[in-house]
Amino acid sequence: MDLLLALGIPLIVFFLAYLMLNDQSRTPLWLQRLTDSSGAIWTYGVIIIAVISIVRYLTS
């Protein structure tokens, strides 16, 4: 039951957020700019996570 709640609630929230943001005419300008450059955000995010993981591994 806990697993169902732990997976179900975030999925429902993401699904509802997707439905609310799906209509591009009501999307705020800052969110449109963010989605246009989402590839760069993902790339830099993965690089930062990898660097932090390597630093944590080397310091422990």
Side-chain angles (χ1 to χ4, degrees), residues 5-57:
L5 289 174
L7 293 177
I9 292 173
L11 287 176
I12 290 171
V13 169
F14 285 132
F15 180 71
L16 291 175
Y18 173 76
L19 288 179
M20 287 177 26
L21 297 174
N22 196 18
D23 184 16
Q24 291 295 326
S25 63
R26 294 185 300 174
T27 305
L29 183 60
W30 64 270
L31 188 57
Q32 289 177 358
R33 289 182 184 161
L34 183 66
T35 56
D36 288 342
S37 62
S38 65
I41 292 172
W42 277 102
T43 303
Y44 292 129
V46 169
I47 290 171
I48 289 171
I49 290 171
V51 168
I52 291 172
S53 299
I54 292 169
V55 168
R56 284 189 61 194
Y57 176 75

